[in-house]
Amino acid sequence: MAVQLNKTLINARLKTIYDNWNNATQNDEFGIIADSDALLLLSGDPAGEDEPVRKGTAFQTWLLGYEFPSTFILFDKNNIFILCSASKAKFLQQIKDGNPPVPIEILVQARAKEPPTDALPKFVDAYTSHKRVATLVKESYSGKLITEWEQALSKVAQQPEQVDLAPAVSAYMAVKDEEELKIIRTAANLTSTLLIHHIMVKLETILDKEAKITHDQFASQIELRIGTGEGDDAKGPDMRIWSKGRGLQDVDWGSTEFCYTPIIQSRSTSTGYDLKSTAISSTDPIAHKGVILIAVGMRYKSYCANLGRSVIVDPSKEQEDIYNLLLSLQSELMREMKDGVTAREVYQRALEYIKDKKPELEKHFVKNVGSVIGLEFRDSAYVLSSKNARHLKTNMVFNLSLGFSDLLDDTGKKYALHLIDTVRVGPDKATFLTDGAKLPTDTLFYLNTADDQVDDQAKSSKNPPTKLPTNGTPARNKTAGGKVLRNKTRSAAQEEVLQSTAAKIKEHQAELHAALQREGLAKYSENGVKHGEKEGKGWKRFQSYKGEGALPKEAEALRIAVDRKAQTIVLPMHGFAVPFHINTIKNVSKNDEGDFTYLRINFQTPGQLAGKKDDTPFEDPDSTFIRSVTYRSADSHRFDTISKQITDLKKEVNKREQQKKEMADVIEQDVLVEIKGRRPHKLPEVFVRPALDGKRLPGEVEIHQSGLRYQSPMGSQKIDVLFSNIKHLFFQPCDKELLVIVHIHLKAPIMIGKRKAHDIQFFREASDVQFDETGNRKRKHRYGDEDEIEMEQQERRRRQMLNKEFKLFAERVAEAASTSTGDTLEVDIPFRELSFEGVPFRTNVRLQPTTECLVHLVDPPFLVVTLNEIEIASLERVQFTLKQFDMVLVFKDFTRTPLHINSIPSLQLDDVKNWLDSVDIPMSEGPVNLNWGPVMKTINDDPYEFFQQGGWSFLGGAGAESEMEEDSESESEFEAGSDESEPEESSAEGSVYDGSDASDESASASYDDASDEGDDWDELERKAAKYFDPADSKRAAEAKTRRGSDVSDDDERPKKKSAAKPKANGKGKR
C-alpha cells in the first residue's frame, strides 16, 4: 500500500478519545462533550495553501497520521462510522483490522459513473439517531460530499442538537506524546539553525555593507533555504546551512515547509511595527539603524515551531534596559510555566513582574503571551491571557511570545520589541525547544559616529598604535557604510580578545570528549557488547586426503613427495607416509654438511611466535606438537628440488589466501533494471576511472531505473552501478582544476575487469588544447592582448558550461537514486576554501572537506573518509620547531586500521583544528607520533575496560596546551595493564618523548604526579615507549640539535629527559 497507517498509534489515540469522553465531567476541559451522544468530524475538499490549518483537519491528522479530504467520521459510544470513497476505504481498512477499542464500520460511496450506494443514507441515519452531537460548528466546508450531506439533512424532520467540539479537540491535542515531541524538536532545531546560521549572518552582512534590500526580498531569500521548484528544475535544500544544525541528518525535506513567510520589519516599514503573526514583510528597504524584528516559523511533518528576535542597531540606554527586561521576564515565565498552573496565572505573573520592574511599560505589553502550538500554529483554546482558566499540563508545547509595542525612541518614532520561543511545559518548569541569538551580545549592535572616527584618526596620528595580544583573536570591526560597527555590545571587544578562537575550540572539544566517553561506556557496557563483536583467532582445519587411497603413488616409495593438487607434503615417518597440509608448514631450510644435505621442515605451532604478532591459541592446551622434522640425504640435487617445490607451493597458497581475503568484501550486484518508455538521461564524452581495458576513449553514462550504466565507445564494455550500492555522490567543479568530476563512492566494492573498485569516477578534461598558440591570421587585424582576452573569456564560459552540465547530471543521479531506494542521496561538493595539503598515501595531495566527507578526487588512489565514521582525530608532531604535522583518524569501527595523513603544513594547523571542531570531531594534540598498532590491539581486546580507564583521555583530553600537564598521569593509567616485558632499549625512546613536553613546569609536575603512584622512572619510560614510534626519537633528537645553545641550557634544568638519563644509564651499560 502507498499509505501505511500506524495502527498502534491510532488505536492508542482512539482509546484516549473514548477514555476522556466517558470520564468527562462538567467541570473539566472535556465538559462540553460530557452530555453528548456522539462526536461528528466532517471534512470537505482540501483547503488552499494560503489558508490556515483547520481544526478538523488537524484533529484528523493527529488521529490518522494523514489528511483524508471528503471523509466523515462519526463516534458514538459503541461504534465508529466512516464515510469515504472506495480508494480511501482501502487505506482505512487497516484501522478496522488493527483491534480498535470499538467496532469500526466503513461506509463506501460509489465511484463516478456507478449507481449510488446506501452509504450516505446509513451515515445520516446513524447521525440522526442521536439527540445531542458535538461537532465543529464554526467551521464551514465545501465539496461534492458536503453538498450531498446538506441535501440529505434537509430532508430529515428532526435533527440532533449540535454543540461545539472545538474545546475538546484542543484538549485532546494539547498534551504531546513522545512521537509528537520528537517531531516538534526537529522543527525547532530547523528553525533555530536557520536563524543562527543564515538569518543573523545575512543580516550582519546587510548592515556591514549597508546593502539595499527590501524586507520582502530578504524574506524570500530565507524561504529558498529549504529548496524550490519541482521536477528537473527542482533545487534542493541548502546543506551548507542545515549541516551545521544538531540532529538534522535524517530530515525528510519533502515534509518540511514554512508556517508562514518569514516576517522582517524595521523602522522603515511603511505600516509600522506589527507584533501579530499575520504581519507581512513590506516592500520597503531595510533600515540600517534602529530596531529590526525577525519572526520565522517552520513546520515539519505538520507540526510547527516558532521563534522571533529583536535586533537593535545603535540602541539607546532605554532600549537596552527594555530588551534586558524581556530576557529576564522570559526566564521568570519559564519557571512559572509548570504542570497545574492556569494560563491566567502565567499572564498575571508577567504583568506583576513588569509592574515591579518598569510599571510605565504595562500599557505597552502584549494582550497575551502566546498559545499552544503543534498541528495548529495557534490554538485559541489555550491562549496565555488574563481570561483563560485552563490548566497547563506536562508535555504541552507553547509558542511563548513576549513583546512591547508603541514604544517611542529618542527621536519620537514608534518602535516595538519582541522575544518569541517554542517551549515545553515540564513538571517543575518549562524548557526551551528553540534557542540561539538571544543574548545582548548577539542582538545589540553599536555604531561609532563619523566624528568619533575623526577623533580616533587624530589620536592615532599622535600616538603609536597599540599592539594587540598575539595569542588572542582581535576584535572584529564591522563596517556599515562609513560607520564602524565595532562590536555587538560595549564590552564585546574585551570579551572577544579574552575568549579567543582557541578558547572556544577548547571548550567545545571538552564537551565532545565528554560525550565520546559517555557513548563509549554505553556502547560497550556489560549489558551490551563488552569485548567487541569479533571472534578470537583460532586454528583452521585442513584435510589433505579423505583416505589412504587418495595418497599419490610417490608415497608408496616412502620418499618425500610434494602433491601440488592436494596442497600437501607427504613425509615418510617410521615406515609410514604421513601427509601434512601446506598450511601447517611454516618454512623449509636446507643445509649442506660434509657429504650429506639436511632438509629441515618447520611447522606452525603455538607459543613460538615472537615480536609484535599475536600468538594463536589452540583448542587443547595439553596437546603435543612437532616443531620441526629433519631429513638427511646424500642426494643434494633432490633436496634442492623438494625445498624449491615446498617454498613455491607455500608462496602460491599464501598469495591465493591473500587474494581471497582482499576479495572477501566484493559483492555481486543485481542485474540493472533499464528504464523503459523513454530515453535515459545521458552524460556523453566522459572518461571513467578505473579505466577499462583497451584504448583510452570517452564513453557515456546513462541513468536507468535502478542504477547507472557506463558504455564504452563501441559498446563492447560496460560498468553497472546500482543506486542501492552508492554511499556518497560527489560533484567537483573544474574551478582551479583541470578536470570536472562526478565521483561515486560505493558501500561495497565491485569488480571492474580484474580489479576491485571502491570508487568510480566519471570526468572530462576542462582545458582545451585544440587551438594554435603560436599565432594565426587573427593577429594581423588585432593589436595588444585582445585575442588572449577573448580566449580567456571562452575558457571561462566553457568551464561554466561544463560545471553546469556535470552538476545537473549529478543532481539527476541523486534524484533517481532517492526515488529508487527511498533513502535520500545528496550531491556533495568539496569546499576548496577549507582544503589543506597532506600525504594520505605516498604523494602530497590537496584534501578537501565536504558536508559529509574528507576527499581527494583528482588523482588515484582516491580518498573518501566519511566524517560520521570517525571516532577521534589525533594531531601528531605538533611542535614549534617542525614545519609539518601529522593527523591520524581513528574510526568508530576499532577493527579498521587508523588512517594516517602525514606532512600537513604547520601553517594550516589552525585551519584543520577549526574544521575538525566545526564538524564535531573530537581531537587531541601531541608532540610525537603514537605507535597505533599496540594501542588499537589493547582497545580491541576489551573496549569496555579501555573506556572504564578513561578512554581517549590518554591522548591529552581536548588537545589544549593547558591540559598537557595531565598527559603523563593519564598515560600511566592507560598503560598500567599492558605487557611490561618490553626490551630495555625503549628507555632511550621514552626519554626523548618525555623531554618534548611544552614546558619545564608541566614536565616536572607530571612526574611528581606519576611518582606518587609508585612507579619508578624506568618503568614510566618503558610504558610510554611502548605506544610511540621509535622513528620519532630521531626526529625529536634532530629538532633538539637544531635548537642549539638555548636547548642545551634548558637541558640543565630538571626536565623529564635529563632526570631519566642517570637512571637509565645506571640500570646497565651496553
Side-chain angles (χ1 to χ4, degrees):
M1 289 186 181
V3 176
Q4 190 68 34
L5 301 181
N6 190 337
K7 293 181 285 187
T8 305
L9 187 63
I10 292 173
N11 288 336
R13 291 180 178 173
L14 283 174
K15 187 175 183 303
T16 301
I17 291 174
Y18 276 93
D19 288 347
N20 287 306
W21 184 14
N22 294 329
N23 300 325
T25 63
Q26 293 294 340
N27 298 323
D28 65 12
E29 56 226 355
F30 297 101
I32 194 72
I33 62 172
D35 298 332
S36 300
D37 304 323
L39 312 177
L40 176 63
L41 188 63
L42 303 178
S43 68
D45 290 345
E49 292 185 0
D50 296 334
E51 296 182 27
V53 177
R54 293 170 175 167
K55 190 173 287 290
T57 303
F59 190 47
Q60 193 185 78
T61 306
W62 173 80
L63 177 61
L64 303 176
Y66 295 90
E67 177 186 353
F68 286 86
S70 300
T71 301
F72 293 179
I73 305 176
L74 179 68
F75 304 86
D76 67 18
K77 294 290 185 179
N78 301 313
N79 292 282
I80 298 176
F81 298 93
I82 302 178
L83 176 66
C84 62
S85 64
S87 58
K88 297 184 183 71
K90 292 180 181 178
F91 303 128
L92 295 172
Q93 185 68 30
Q94 300 174 57
I95 314 173
K96 189 175 179 179
D97 301 337
N99 193 24
V102 295
I104 297 177
E105 184 176 352
I106 300 177
L107 306 176
V108 182
Q109 283 193 294
R111 300 177 185 272
K113 299 182 181 180
E114 290 184 0
T117 64
D118 60 348
L120 183 59
K122 280 186 178 181
F123 194 86
V124 171
D125 291 342
Y127 169 71
T128 55
S129 64
H130 301 291
K131 294 181 180 180
R132 183 182 172 94
V133 177
T135 187
L136 298 170
V137 295
K138 295 181 181 179
E139 292 194 355
S140 59
Y141 304 94
S142 61
K144 180 183 176 183
L145 182 58
I146 292 294
T147 303
E148 294 176 356
W149 166 256
E150 291 173 348
Q151 291 174 353
L153 285 182
S154 64
K155 300 175 184 179
V156 177
Q158 188 174 359
Q159 296 185 17
E161 177 191 357
Q162 289 189 345
V163 296
D164 193 7
L165 180 62
V169 170
S170 297
Y172 280 126
M173 298 192 300
V175 179
K176 308 298 189 288
D177 57 30
E178 283 302 320
E179 187 67 24
E180 292 176 290
L181 288 173
K182 182 180 178 182
I183 296 173
I184 293 177
R185 286 191 191 99
T186 303
N189 288 341
L190 286 166
T191 314
S192 301
T193 301
L194 183 65
L195 174 77
I196 299 168
H197 298 293
H198 179 68
I199 298 177
M200 294 301 294
V201 175
K202 185 74 174 177
L203 183 60
E204 286 186 20
T205 304
I206 292 171
L207 295 175
D208 286 349
K209 298 181 179 179
E210 283 197 340
K212 291 184 179 180
I213 182 173
T214 64
H215 302 89
D216 61 333
Q217 287 175 342
F218 188 21
S220 300
Q221 290 178 9
I222 297 170
E223 281 190 300
L224 295 177
R225 297 312 103 195
I226 62 171
T228 56
E230 295 180 357
D232 294 340
D233 299 328
K235 184 179 180 182
D238 190 348
M239 297 310 298
R240 292 173 299 177
I241 296 169
W242 303 116
S243 61
K244 299 174 184 177
R246 304 269 181 176
L248 302 182
Q249 293 82 9
D250 301 323
V251 167
D252 178 8
W253 294 105
S255 302
T256 306
E257 59 182 336
F258 284 90
C259 301
Y260 54 85
T261 301
I263 303 170
I264 309 296
Q265 303 177 71
S266 72
R267 67 193 303 177
S268 60
T269 301
S270 56
T271 56
Y273 292 99
D274 186 357
L275 297 186
K276 297 178 182 176
S277 60
T278 54
I280 60 173
S281 302
S282 70
T283 56
D284 306 299
I286 295 176
H288 300 118
K289 192 174 181 182
V291 176
I292 301 173
L293 298 185
I294 303 166
V296 59
M298 298 198 72
R299 182 181 285 114
Y300 182 66
K301 294 184 178 179
S302 301
Y303 285 85
C304 303
N306 191 44
L307 61 74
R309 296 291 182 263
S310 300
V311 174
I312 314 177
V313 182
D314 198 19
S316 64
K317 185 68 171 65
E318 182 186 12
Q319 288 174 331
E320 282 186 44
D321 294 340
I322 296 175
Y323 187 78
N324 288 326
L325 176 64
L326 274 179
L327 288 175
S328 59
L329 175 60
Q330 188 186 57
S331 300
E332 180 66 24
L333 294 187
M334 292 295 287
R335 291 188 289 270
E336 182 71 18
M337 295 176 67
K338 55 189 175 184
D339 187 76
V341 175
T342 64
R344 179 193 303 154
E345 291 171 344
V346 174
Y347 186 77
Q348 291 297 337
R349 178 64 190 126
L351 284 181
E352 291 171 4
Y353 190 86
I354 294 170
K355 288 179 184 178
D356 182 48
K357 301 294 182 182
K358 277 187 175 294
E360 67 275 12
L361 294 178
E362 182 184 355
K363 62 181 180 180
H364 299 287
F365 192 56
V366 290
K367 302 304 179 185
N368 66 75
V369 293
S371 62
V372 160
I373 191 171
L375 289 167
E376 290 183 282
F377 183 79
R378 181 181 183 273
D379 193 332
S380 58
Y382 282 91
V383 175
L384 299 174
S385 66
S386 59
K387 299 178 181 178
N388 194 347
R390 291 214 174 202
H391 289 82
L392 276 61
K393 293 184 178 179
T394 300
N395 287 341
M396 283 186 176
V397 177
F398 279 85
N399 176 31
L400 182 60
S401 178
L402 309 178
F404 297 103
S405 59
D406 295 331
L407 299 168
L408 296 177
D409 61 14
D410 296 339
T411 62
K413 292 184 178 181
K414 288 185 178 182
Y415 70 94
L417 295 174
H418 71 182
L419 183 61
I420 305 171
D421 274 299
T422 304
V423 303
R424 180 178 69 91
V425 177
D428 303 317
K429 63 177 181 178
T431 55
F432 288 106
L433 296 179
T434 56
D435 207 356
K438 184 189 305 182
L439 298 176
T441 52
D442 300 315
T443 59
L444 304 185
F445 294 77
Y446 291 87
L447 295 169
N448 284 344
T449 63
D451 296 337
D452 293 337
Q453 291 186 38
V454 172
D455 294 341
D456 292 341
Q457 292 174 4
K459 291 178 182 178
S460 63
S461 62
K462 296 178 181 178
N463 303 324
T466 304
K467 188 176 180 181
L468 290 172
T470 56
N471 60 347
T473 301
R476 292 193 296 268
N477 293 335
K478 298 176 178 164
T479 61
K483 299 164 186 162
V484 178
L485 189 60
R486 262 196 83 241
N487 355 72
K488 298 175 181 177
T489 64
R490 293 187 175 106
S491 61
Q494 299 173 357
E495 289 178 1
E496 288 187 359
V497 171
L498 295 175
Q499 188 178 9
S500 63
T501 303
K504 293 176 183 177
I505 290 177
K506 176 183 173 183
E507 182 180 352
H508 186 216
Q509 284 295 315
E511 296 174 3
L512 293 177
H513 278 265
L516 189 64
Q517 178 69 8
R518 289 194 303 271
E519 291 169 6
L521 288 172
K523 182 178 179 181
Y524 298 104
S525 63
E526 294 183 349
N527 296 329
V529 185
K530 180 174 179 180
H531 298 286
E533 300 175 356
K534 185 181 177 185
E535 295 182 359
K537 290 185 177 180
W539 287 86
K540 293 182 181 179
R541 295 186 175 276
F542 307 101
Q543 185 178 22
S544 298
Y545 306 105
K546 292 185 177 180
E548 294 182 7
L551 287 169
K553 293 182 179 180
E554 293 85 351
E556 297 176 359
L558 292 180
R559 303 178 70 190
I560 300 175
V562 179
D563 188 351
R564 298 182 64 86
K565 185 177 180 181
Q567 299 180 5
T568 299
I569 315 299
V570 182
L571 302 178
M573 290 187 177
H574 303 290
F576 294 94
V578 183
F580 290 88
H581 196 278
I582 189 65
N583 284 316
T584 65
I585 295 175
K586 183 180 179 183
N587 54 38
V588 61
S589 62
K590 181 180 70 68
N591 292 318
D592 295 324
E593 294 184 9
D595 296 334
F596 294 98
T597 299
Y598 294 84
L599 184 68
R600 178 187 175 103
I601 300 174
N602 298 313
F603 296 99
Q604 302 276 14
T605 58
Q608 69 174 359
L609 297 175
K612 294 184 178 180
K613 291 187 177 181
D614 300 328
D615 192 11
T616 306
F618 191 69
E619 297 170 356
D620 185 4
D622 297 327
S623 300
T624 301
F625 290 86
I626 301 174
R627 289 217 167 170
S628 63
V629 174
T630 304
Y631 290 90
R632 188 182 70 174
S633 173
D635 190 351
S636 175
H637 178 71
R638 171 167 169 75
F639 271 15
D640 283 341
T641 304
I642 291 174
S643 175
K644 187 175 185 305
Q645 287 178 344
I646 294 175
T647 303
D648 291 346
L649 181 58
K650 183 70 177 175
K651 289 180 180 178
E652 183 182 328
V653 170
N654 287 343
K655 183 178 180 182
R656 195 178 298 122
E657 285 289 329
Q658 187 65 25
Q659 290 176 346
K660 185 178 178 182
K661 190 175 180 181
E662 288 180 0
M663 299 299 173
D665 56 347
V666 176
I667 63 168
E668 186 71 29
Q669 293 191 120
D670 294 334
V671 178
L672 180 74
V673 179
E674 297 185 19
I675 199 164
K676 296 180 180 179
R678 66 171 178 85
R679 291 184 178 181
H681 293 295
K682 294 183 179 180
L683 184 64
E685 296 295 319
V686 294
F687 296 94
V688 65
R689 290 195 287 204
L692 297 173
D693 296 333
K695 191 176 181 181
R696 181 178 178 269
L697 293 172
E700 62 181 15
V701 194
E702 301 175 345
I703 303 176
H704 288 277
Q705 185 173 334
S706 65
L708 302 177
R709 170 168 289 172
Y710 175 82
Q711 293 271 14
S712 62
M714 305 303 295
S716 57
Q717 299 182 77
K718 64 182 180 181
I719 300 174
D720 290 345
V721 182
L722 297 186
F723 291 139
S724 57
N725 194 30
I726 296 179
K727 185 175 183 181
H728 296 295
L729 174 64
F730 302 99
F731 160 67
Q732 179 166 306
C734 54
D735 302 332
K736 300 181 181 179
E737 297 286 354
L738 296 177
L739 305 176
V740 57
I741 295 169
V742 171
H743 187 96
I744 295 171
H745 183 65
L746 304 176
K747 295 178 182 176
I750 61 174
M751 293 299 296
I752 297 180
K754 297 180 181 180
R755 288 167 293 180
K756 180 173 76 169
H758 279 93
D759 298 87
I760 297 175
Q761 185 179 105
F762 308 110
F763 69 94
R764 194 184 298 170
E765 294 179 356
S767 59
D768 186 3
V769 295
Q770 298 178 357
F771 61 86
D772 184 11
E773 293 183 344
T774 61
N776 51 38
R777 283 187 292 181
K778 287 183 180 180
R779 289 192 177 274
K780 296 179 181 179
H781 309 289
R782 297 190 180 184
Y783 301 95
D785 295 332
E786 293 179 7
D787 49 351
E788 282 88 350
I789 293 173
E790 183 179 346
M791 289 178 185
E792 289 177 4
Q793 292 174 346
Q794 290 177 355
E795 177 79 9
R796 195 178 299 114
R797 284 194 294 269
R798 183 167 53 251
R799 286 177 178 266
Q800 290 174 352
M801 291 175 61
L802 280 175
N803 288 341
K804 184 177 179 181
E805 181 183 3
F806 271 67
K807 185 177 182 181
L808 178 61
F809 183 79
E811 289 173 347
R812 284 175 173 168
V813 172
E815 182 183 355
S818 302
T819 304
S820 174
T821 62
D823 298 328
T824 304
L825 179 66
E826 297 286 348
V827 180
D828 222 351
I829 302 177
F831 301 125
R832 187 179 177 87
E833 59 272 16
L834 299 179
S835 65
F836 56 92
E837 295 181 351
V839 184
F841 303 112
R842 292 185 178 180
T843 57
N844 188 43
V845 299
R846 180 181 295 276
L847 302 169
Q848 302 185 80
T850 71
T851 303
E852 299 179 352
C853 302
L854 176 66
V855 300
H856 165 64
L857 308 178
V858 178
D859 300 307
F862 306 118
L863 176 70
V864 178
V865 182
T866 307
L867 298 182
N868 60 15
E869 294 178 359
I870 297 175
E871 174 89 355
I872 192 170
S874 176
L875 307 180
E876 301 178 344
R877 292 199 302 124
V878 180
Q879 300 182 38
F880 290 114
T881 56
L882 300 180
K883 294 182 179 180
Q884 296 172 328
F885 69 97
D886 304 332
M887 179 168 65
V888 179
L889 301 178
V890 182
F891 298 100
K892 292 180 180 178
D893 179 7
F894 294 150
T895 59
R896 289 179 63 180
T897 304
L899 174 67
H900 293 253
I901 301 176
N902 300 323
S903 302
I904 304 173
S906 297
L907 293 174
Q908 295 182 299
L909 176 62
D910 290 339
D911 296 334
V912 172
K913 289 167 72 174
N914 287 333
W915 166 67
L916 288 171
D917 188 68
S918 68
V919 293
D920 294 338
I921 293 180
M923 58 182 169
S924 66
E925 187 176 322
V928 292
N929 291 97
L930 279 168
N931 190 357
W932 282 95
V935 173
M936 298 311 297
K937 177 185 178 300
T938 303
I939 296 173
N940 280 309
D941 286 346
D942 194 343
Y944 182 64
E945 181 69 19
F946 168 72
F947 281 103
Q948 267 196 328
Q949 294 190 2
W952 299 105
S953 60
F954 78 95
L955 291 174
E961 293 182 4
S962 61
E963 295 185 9
M964 289 295 288
E965 298 176 7
E966 300 172 9
D967 279 359
S968 60
E969 182 179 352
S970 59
E971 287 162 10
S972 299
E973 293 174 1
F974 168 67
E975 296 161 359
S978 60
D979 185 10
E980 298 181 4
S981 59
E982 287 290 310
E984 292 183 3
E985 288 83 347
S986 63
S987 61
E989 301 160 13
S991 63
V992 172
Y993 161 66
D994 295 338
S996 61
D997 272 352
S999 65
D1000 303 336
E1001 291 80 12
S1002 63
S1004 59
S1006 300
Y1007 261 84
D1008 291 341
D1009 295 341
S1011 62
D1012 291 342
E1013 297 179 6
D1015 291 336
D1016 60 15
W1017 289 2
D1018 280 332
E1019 187 68 24
L1020 291 171
E1021 287 177 2
R1022 282 199 298 273
K1023 291 178 180 179
K1026 182 176 179 181
Y1027 294 98
F1028 289 90
D1029 193 339
D1032 289 309
S1033 60
K1034 288 184 179 180
R1035 283 196 288 264
E1038 292 170 2
K1040 179 181 171 183
T1041 304
R1042 288 195 298 269
R1043 285 199 296 268
S1045 60
D1046 292 338
V1047 178
S1048 64
D1049 294 338
D1050 291 342
D1051 287 344
E1052 296 175 7
R1053 302 174 187 172
K1055 275 192 177 182
K1056 285 191 258 186
K1057 179 178 176 181
S1058 59
K1061 277 186 177 178
K1063 296 286 280 188
N1065 293 337
K1067 185 94 174 176
K1069 280 189 176 181
R1070 289 172 177 75

